[in-house]
Amino acid sequence: MLEEYHTSVMLKEAIKYLSPYDDYKSSELTSIHNIDATFGRGGHTRQWLKKMPIRNSSIIAIDKDYKAIDKAIELFKNEPRVIPYNDSFHNIKNITKKLWGDDVSVDSILMDLGVSFPQLSEADRGFSFMQDGPLDMRMDIRSDKNAYDLINNETLENLSDIFYKYGEEKFSYKLAKAIVKRRNERGAIESTKELASIIYENYPKKYKLSIHPATRVFQAIRIWVNDEITHLQKGLEEGFSILKIGGRVAIISFHSIEDRVVKNFVNQKLKAPIYPKELIYAKTEIFEPSVKWVCKLLRPSENEVSENPRSRSAKLRVYEKIK
């Protein structure tokens, strides 16, 4: 069963916020257009379908991982409301235009930014230090960037910057230095286990008790390889541009870097622009925000965390377009 491989985080909460129209039964709604921007293994999409009418509704299921889209095609082969699409959600505007046309505005968008369990469990993808696999970490295998090239070819300074910027790793320089030393002395670092071992051996002892020392470094590598922050920033902008007035966007993030991007994006649309002094008297419009928070912050329940420990770091934020 699909559920044995991956459990969607904050499933009911996210779909509840994205289905605000009395389960879409309002007579004023002639059609529903939703986007699951990070399909994963389809948990959120399946729950969403239960809230949508049979006719005049559809969901574009986007994922940059072709295996996820293969699963979507298999899972929803008899469900015409679901349109699987293999791409990154940072191209969400072009995807929507291609599938629904220029004039369609979107009711709701969901972005679940977590890595799916199948990706973590497949050793040959190289996402996890818990299994021995090649240094890869590409969600889209067509990408030119991979973890092997990063670890074996980047300079000490660049490695340190990446570990700090995308992993918030305070020992970034020390770990980068150890990696460069090891590859200079013994040749290329080939596997996830080898890299994790180097990190563990060079991590200060007193900080090894909370989480595995390789956690933040592997996060940083994955984010860099897949351009996750750049794609998130562009995806948020493009998602807003195709959203109808009253439409909603829900984002589930799993670390502070992603969450900060989401908060900054929404908060910028809540604040009045800062005008240069020479233009202050020419400003005649009264500023009105273009969004409002529907759910400023929601964390998983204690029950969910106990049943699915991977959900413990999740944060759900939902905004609505009002202008």
Side-chain angles (χ1 to χ4, degrees):
M1 294 294 291
L2 202 62
E3 291 85 355
E4 294 174 355
Y5 295 101
H6 181 72
T7 302
S8 298
V9 173
M10 304 186 79
L11 177 62
K12 293 182 179 179
E13 294 90 341
I15 300 306
K16 176 184 175 182
Y17 281 115
L18 293 177
S19 306
Y21 308 113
D22 188 27
D23 290 350
Y24 295 123
K25 293 176 183 177
S26 171
S27 60
E28 297 177 3
L29 296 171
T30 57
S31 61
I32 303 296
H33 295 90
N34 294 330
I35 298 178
D36 186 343
T38 47
F39 177 78
R41 287 304 182 266
H44 288 105
T45 289
R46 283 180 294 156
Q47 182 70 14
W48 220 341
L49 288 171
K50 296 176 183 178
K51 301 287 187 179
M52 291 171 56
I54 299 298
R55 297 181 179 179
N56 300 323
S57 64
S58 56
I59 299 177
I60 299 177
I62 301 171
D63 206 294
K64 67 173 71 174
D65 185 345
Y66 78 93
K67 289 188 176 182
I69 294 304
D70 285 347
K71 180 59 68 175
I73 293 170
E74 174 191 337
L75 185 63
F76 297 112
K77 59 185 177 183
N78 297 319
E79 176 51 85
R81 290 177 293 172
V82 178
I83 310 170
Y85 200 89
N86 183 206
D87 202 344
S88 168
F89 66 71
H90 79 281
N91 293 320
I92 196 169
K93 189 173 183 178
N94 286 334
I95 295 169
T96 305
K97 180 179 178 180
K98 179 178 180 179
L99 298 178
W100 284 334
D102 293 326
D103 299 329
V104 173
S105 53
V106 175
D107 291 86
S108 298
I109 300 172
L110 172 66
M111 298 178 179
D112 178 352
L113 305 178
V115 181
S116 70
F117 181 68
Q119 289 171 329
L120 292 173
S121 63
E122 294 173 2
D124 63 340
R125 305 296 297 274
F127 284 106
S128 175
F129 50 80
M130 301 302 290
Q131 300 186 72
D132 198 15
L135 287 171
D136 193 327
M137 298 199 199
R138 291 175 298 168
M139 291 184 178
D140 183 350
I141 61 171
R142 297 165 295 189
S143 172
D144 294 330
K145 297 169 71 174
N146 61 64
Y148 178 90
D149 289 341
L150 172 67
I151 291 301
N152 288 294
N153 297 326
E154 280 292 344
T155 65
L156 167 61
E157 290 74 17
N158 285 347
L159 279 178
S160 177
D161 287 347
I162 289 167
F163 296 166
Y164 185 79
K165 181 178 180 180
Y166 297 129
E168 299 181 318
E169 173 53 68
K170 60 183 176 181
F171 299 112
S172 60
Y173 187 84
K174 177 181 176 66
L175 298 176
K177 187 176 181 180
I179 289 168
V180 171
K181 180 181 179 183
R182 178 69 66 89
R183 78 191 190 195
N184 287 341
E185 292 177 350
R186 304 186 191 179
I189 299 166
E190 300 283 350
S191 72
T192 54
K193 282 287 189 181
E194 186 179 1
L195 176 59
S197 176
I198 296 169
I199 295 169
Y200 190 87
E201 290 169 5
N202 289 276
Y203 216 81
K205 284 186 177 181
K206 67 177 182 178
Y207 294 102
K208 290 181 179 180
L209 300 178
S210 54
I211 62 173
H212 192 289
T215 300
R216 295 187 183 90
V217 170
F218 270 62
Q219 171 187 297
I221 297 170
R222 190 202 77 224
I223 290 173
W224 181 87
V225 166
N226 296 287
D227 291 320
E228 292 180 28
I229 301 305
T230 301
H231 287 184
L232 175 58
Q233 291 168 331
K234 186 179 179 186
L236 288 168
E237 289 288 353
E238 292 208 350
F240 176 82
S241 72
I242 61 175
L243 199 65
K244 66 168 53 175
I245 303 300
R248 293 181 176 183
V249 178
I251 307 102
I252 303 172
S253 62
F254 290 83
H255 56 75
S256 59
I257 302 169
E258 294 171 335
D259 187 54
R260 197 176 303 126
V261 171
V262 174
K263 285 191 297 182
N264 289 343
F265 171 80
V266 177
N267 286 336
Q268 284 301 312
K269 296 190 177 301
L270 289 168
K271 295 177 182 177
I274 299 175
Y275 290 88
K277 289 183 178 180
E278 59 270 22
L279 297 179
I280 195 68
Y281 295 107
K283 177 179 174 294
T284 58
E285 293 183 3
I286 298 175
F287 172 76
E288 295 179 357
S290 55
V291 303
K292 69 175 182 180
W293 284 114
V294 176
C295 171
K296 197 166 186 178
L297 175 62
L298 185 66
R299 294 180 178 273
S301 66
E302 291 183 7
N303 285 340
E304 180 170 6
V305 172
S306 65
E307 293 175 3
N308 180 18
R310 290 191 300 274
S311 71
R312 64 185 178 274
S313 61
K315 296 177 181 178
L316 170 65
R317 298 183 189 272
V318 185
Y319 79 80
E320 181 176 312
K321 186 173 182 177
I322 59 176
K323 182 183 177 183

